Amino acid sequence: MKKRILGLLLAVLFLTPLAAPAVATQGGEDGGEAAPLTGVTINVYNWGEYISNGVDGSLDVNAEFTRRTGIEVNYTTFESNESMYSKLVSGGANYDIIIPSDYMVSRLIDEGMLEKLNFDNIPNFQYIDEAYRNPVYDPQNEYSVPYTWGVVGIFYNKNYVTEEVDSWEILWDEQYAGKILMFDNPRDTFGIAQKLLGFSFNSTEESEWQEAAMLLKQQKPLVQAYVMDQIFDKMASGEAWLGPYYAGDAAILVEENPNIGFAIPTEEGTNFFVDAICIPKGAQHKEEAEAYINFLCDPEIAAANVDYIGYSTPESAAKALLDEEVVNNPIYYPPQEVLENAEIFINLPEETSLLLDELWAEVKMGGPGETATLIAILALFLALYIAAVLYKRRKAKREAG
Amino acid sequence: MKAKRAAVPYGIWMVIFIIVPMLLVLYFAFTTQEGAFTLQNIATVGRYSNVFVRSIWLGAVATAVSLLIGYPVAYIIARTRACWQSVLILLVILPMWMNFLLRTYAWMTLLEDSGLINNLLEALGLGRVHMINTQGAVVVGMVYNYVPYMIFPLYSVLAKMDPSVIEAAQDLGASQARVFWRVVLPMSMPGVISGITMVFVPAVSTFIISKMLGGGANLMIGDLIDMQFLGSSYNPNLGSAISLVLMVLILICMGIMNQFDDGESKGGGIPL
């Protein structure tokens, strides 16, 4: 189904250069113009499995970029915004392109870790739909260009969950005890409790976070496991029946398992997330990086990318190139009312994220511990040590005497 | 003199990758994010005492189980004919050639409610048992992954044991059990001690096993440290403080173990 459009795209992309020598006038578009940037290598840091890479007949986006511009791409991946962030702050590496999510973009902006983009070098920004410009995480749209977006919804096994799924409340339903999965990251997990309570994801009220934590503690006995990628296996095998996850990432789950359904709690609202392309401060090849961003915004490339990744594109022009089945699928492109009720994560102030980490550990531990206990453990071990030393001394003395 | 010079590369390696990082941990543990001195991080660790209790408990159980499983195995290997010994040792090492993550992942599919073991039990009419996402599952994962570290030091001590000593005990009329308790066990103590340390230390600080087999809710110290670096707030100071407390704990444990290690028989013991 998805393969058809890909084949077409590939044909266009790969046949053009072959045909070029014959049609002499066509040469300009493909290789010639970007020549001054040739010979440079840019470091791209992206999510794992988050670019079309040539597998299964898909387009190899990075190779195509090199072919067109002469710029080499050194491509590395990260597995979470936080691991990318800690790599960036510890200063161990130098990246020219990073693709973090919304709240991480706003955090990096707040901390002055991003370069302002020169949009003169990114003419393809024109293709980005109005709705995705000037987002809350980058209000002036100076630092980022949206790459993909998606929403969070609930996956459920139709064989066991026969009622209509239209509220986060179902994740607190006792009859599914032990069959419920939750995210293994605090932001997404607390987000669900927050929406159920009618709070904002980006609240700075401590009481609201406390209330959400209470709700999650109540839910914990019903939760089978806190997982990320493992949700695919656990849902597909029937081990778990209910679990919230990112729509695009898990769309394949629904395609391959007809008994798995997907629903978005429209009323209560959900998380609408955007992953955006940025250039970190101190990037060595800013101009080349902008050429890369421009290339990714090319509707044909964007279409090939989202076709491979499964997330949604912020470009109508790219959407037009996609298979109709995909475009009409509410998992990929949910109806307008879902998006109207959805909220984006933005960066939390320092004290709120510290509180969040603390509460998250508490949810998982089932309550805060006492300092006295820790001191007692240390004292016990020390006592054991001293006892052992004394015992040995005495034994040595006895043997000597 | 020459021997000393040969140790220089490792010396440099140790300074750069062991001593310096340790000092960094120490520095971070006692400073704020701005770099000012503080004891707040260490004080905050107390809030997570539950996690310490759970980790030490699970680590201790896993170590005990490993010892109970590992000792007979090591004993049997040490007593078989030399040509078979290498084959048996190879069988113990074999699983370790596979990636650690893969091995743990395999246990996940085995222990799940709809996993292989439960399907087998169901087919045999024994009914299903809930195993995954429990502390027991975490212990199973630890034992599976770390039991070779128990077997090797035990084997190396037991294999070196002079059989004539055992024969002498038997000649003097000691029963099988008495030979074991009074001769074999005391003589293999260095192996027991180093086996216990080599299993307990990684077991206490593991994090991926509890994540995969414990369902993410059986938080362990390793998970907690991981959270400080890759959680929603980047807090290397608290992370270092937790690591420091863990290190102190492990040091004390090794100190205790060392007291039981007889000075003369330097079999496989770790000196401290």
Side-chain angles (χ1 to χ4, degrees):
Chain A
M1 174 208 78
K2 277 157 86 182
K3 296 271 150 36
R4 210 174 336 128
I5 170 80
L6 258 177
L8 215 90
L9 261 175
L10 280 176
V12 172
L13 283 165
F14 287 112
L15 289 179
T16 322
L18 286 179
V23 191
T25 43
Q26 220 191 334
E29 194 207 316
D30 262 74
E33 55 170 355
L37 304 176
T38 302
V40 173
T41 300
I42 56 168
N43 294 310
V44 176
Y45 200 30
N46 193 4
W47 293 85
E49 285 289 303
Y50 216 44
I51 197 163
S52 179
N53 60 4
V55 170
D56 287 344
S58 63
L59 171 70
D60 188 340
V61 168
N62 286 330
E64 177 65 16
F65 177 67
T66 305
R67 200 183 60 77
R68 284 199 197 178
T69 61
I71 302 169
E72 299 284 337
V73 178
N74 176 21
Y75 188 80
T76 42
T77 61
F78 55 84
E79 57 180 23
S80 74
N81 282 304
E82 286 69 28
S83 63
M84 182 224 53
Y85 177 82
S86 51
K87 191 123 175 216
L88 219 55
V89 285
S90 60
N94 200 326
Y95 298 105
D96 298 297
I97 291 278
I98 50 172
I99 310 190
S101 312
D102 34 42
Y103 70 96
M104 190 49 77
V105 174
S106 78
R107 178 176 192 169
L108 294 171
I109 293 174
D110 288 351
E111 296 178 7
M113 288 173 66
L114 295 183
E115 291 279 357
K116 279 192 184 176
L117 301 178
N118 179 1
F119 283 89
D120 294 340
N121 291 336
I122 313 174
N124 285 341
F125 186 72
Q126 59 170 317
Y127 294 111
I128 303 288
D129 293 354
E130 201 54 49
Y132 305 97
R133 296 189 186 189
N134 306 321
V136 283
Y137 56 83
D138 181 10
Q140 311 299 317
N141 213 138
E142 293 171 309
Y143 298 93
S144 66
V145 171
Y147 181 57
T148 54
W149 61 272
V151 291
V152 170
I154 303 173
F155 287 85
Y156 60 96
N157 191 320
K158 291 178 196 161
N159 296 349
Y160 304 101
V161 183
T162 45
E163 62 187 298
E164 196 192 346
V165 180
D166 58 356
S167 164
W168 299 114
E169 192 105 49
I170 198 165
L171 299 171
W172 271 258
D173 192 334
E174 305 245 338
Q175 66 172 314
Y176 305 119
K179 296 294 174 191
I180 297 167
L181 297 176
M182 285 295 274
F183 285 107
D184 193 20
N185 78 59
R187 212 63 214 269
D188 283 312
T189 303
F190 272 77
I192 289 168
Q194 283 169 318
K195 282 296 139 188
L196 198 50
L197 292 163
F199 300 149
S200 160
F201 293 139
N202 305 312
S203 164
T204 50
E205 287 294 324
E206 186 177 337
S207 61
E208 293 192 4
W209 289 97
Q210 295 280 8
E211 250 183 89
M214 280 302 292
L215 202 59
L216 292 171
K217 280 181 208 167
Q218 284 166 21
Q219 185 205 22
K220 193 191 165 197
L222 309 179
V223 176
Q224 178 185 94
Y226 297 89
V227 297
M228 294 305 289
D229 289 350
Q230 293 160 26
I231 190 174
F232 301 118
D233 289 339
K234 293 196 188 269
M235 286 296 296
S237 70
E239 178 76 11
W241 300 344
L242 277 164
Y245 213 67
Y246 314 115
D249 217 359
I252 191 156
L253 197 64
V254 175
E255 261 171 43
E256 286 175 2
N257 300 281
N259 59 335
I260 289 178
F262 179 76
I264 304 166
T266 314
E267 281 290 295
E268 293 154 354
T270 184
N271 171 218
F272 167 66
F273 56 86
V274 181
D275 291 327
I277 322 166
C278 308
I279 301 182
K281 248 274 128 63
Q284 311 251 307
H285 309 291
K286 186 162 179 283
E287 216 171 300
E288 290 81 356
E290 279 159 351
Y292 189 72
I293 298 178
N294 190 48
F295 171 75
L296 291 181
C297 289
D298 182 322
E300 278 181 18
I301 301 299
N305 255 337
V306 293
D307 193 59
Y308 175 81
I309 311 168
Y311 279 69
S312 318
T313 172
E315 299 183 4
S316 292
K319 207 169 143 185
L321 295 171
L322 294 174
D323 207 86
E324 214 161 283
E325 239 176 281
V326 172
V327 175
N328 295 331
N329 187 336
I331 298 180
Y332 295 105
Y333 295 95
Q336 196 52 40
E337 64 260 29
V338 168
L339 298 180
E340 272 162 16
N341 246 346
E343 195 186 357
I344 294 189
F345 287 149
I346 59 169
N347 184 31
L348 296 172
E350 173 85 23
E351 63 266 27
T352 311
S353 45
L354 283 176
L355 173 74
L356 173 59
D357 262 4
E358 212 175 279
L359 290 173
W360 174 233
E362 258 180 47
V363 167
K364 283 189 155 191
M365 293 189 302
E370 296 292 329
T371 308
T373 320
L374 189 61
I375 295 173
I377 300 172
L378 285 171
L380 178 76
F381 275 93
L382 265 179
L384 275 174
Y385 176 65
I386 293 166
V389 172
L390 289 179
Y391 169 78
K392 205 183 173 190
R393 274 222 193 121
R394 213 200 247 162
K395 196 175 152 198
K397 218 181 251 174
R398 215 181 322 136
E399 273 166 15
Chain B
M1 226 25 226
K2 273 210 173 120
K4 264 192 188 156
R5 219 174 293 151
V8 166
Y10 180 69
I12 296 172
W13 173 272
M14 202 169 76
V15 169
I16 298 178
F17 294 107
I18 300 177
I19 310 279
V20 172
M22 293 271 233
L23 292 176
L24 280 176
V25 167
L26 208 62
Y27 168 78
F28 276 115
F30 288 105
T31 49
T32 61
Q33 300 214 309
E34 286 74 39
F37 177 80
T38 181
L39 287 173
Q40 188 55 43
N41 299 319
I42 301 287
T44 316
V45 178
R47 205 182 285 135
Y48 302 108
S49 56
N50 297 354
V51 181
F52 277 84
V53 174
R54 180 184 293 136
S55 298
I56 293 168
W57 168 241
L58 294 183
V61 172
T63 310
V65 175
S66 300
L67 183 60
L68 286 178
I69 296 177
Y71 202 102
V73 173
Y75 191 81
I76 291 164
I77 296 177
R79 288 284 157 270
T80 44
R81 288 223 318 274
C83 57
W84 285 105
Q85 280 191 16
S86 51
V87 176
L88 291 173
I89 283 291
L90 188 77
L91 284 176
V92 175
I93 305 178
L94 207 61
M96 296 175 78
W97 291 357
M98 238 185 310
N99 182 287
F100 176 81
L101 273 179
L102 265 179
R103 276 180 279 152
T104 313
Y105 205 82
W107 271 104
M108 203 167 86
T109 48
L110 282 175
L111 295 176
E112 276 178 347
D113 287 346
S114 52
L116 275 173
I117 294 178
N118 266 321
N119 284 342
L120 192 71
L121 288 176
E122 179 96 334
L124 294 173
L126 294 169
R128 290 173 183 268
V129 186
H130 178 67
M131 292 178 286
I132 191 83
N133 306 329
T134 60
Q135 301 197 345
V138 179
V139 169
V140 166
M142 286 179 183
V143 169
Y144 181 78
N145 280 308
Y146 300 131
V147 81
Y149 298 111
M150 180 66 84
I151 295 176
F152 289 137
L154 282 173
Y155 163 76
S156 75
V157 171
L158 289 170
K160 267 185 257 160
M161 201 180 284
D162 192 345
S164 57
V165 177
I166 298 170
E167 279 160 23
Q170 283 165 342
D171 286 348
L172 292 169
S175 67
Q176 282 274 0
R178 209 171 153 83
V179 170
F180 177 77
W181 287 108
R182 300 300 295 271
V183 178
V184 178
L185 189 63
M187 279 178 73
S188 62
M189 249 353 229
V192 174
I193 300 296
S194 89
I196 289 178
T197 349
M198 283 174 78
V199 173
F200 183 70
V201 173
V204 164
S205 51
T206 182
F207 70 103
I208 202 71
I209 296 178
S210 55
K211 209 172 246 180
M212 290 172 94
L213 301 176
N218 286 305
L219 214 57
M220 297 200 37
I221 304 176
D223 299 298
L224 202 60
I225 298 171
D226 176 60
M227 265 169 72
Q228 304 314 317
F229 289 89
L230 304 176
S232 59
S233 64
Y234 177 67
N235 195 349
N237 306 89
L238 181 57
S240 302
I242 301 170
S243 310
L244 193 66
V245 175
L246 178 64
M247 274 196 274
V248 168
L249 238 151
I250 288 174
L251 270 178
I252 300 176
C253 286
M254 286 175 69
I256 297 173
M257 296 318 298
N258 218 44
Q259 296 307 314
F260 293 103
D261 193 354
D262 272 334
E264 313 108 58
S265 48
K266 287 216 165 65
I270 296 168
L272 184 86

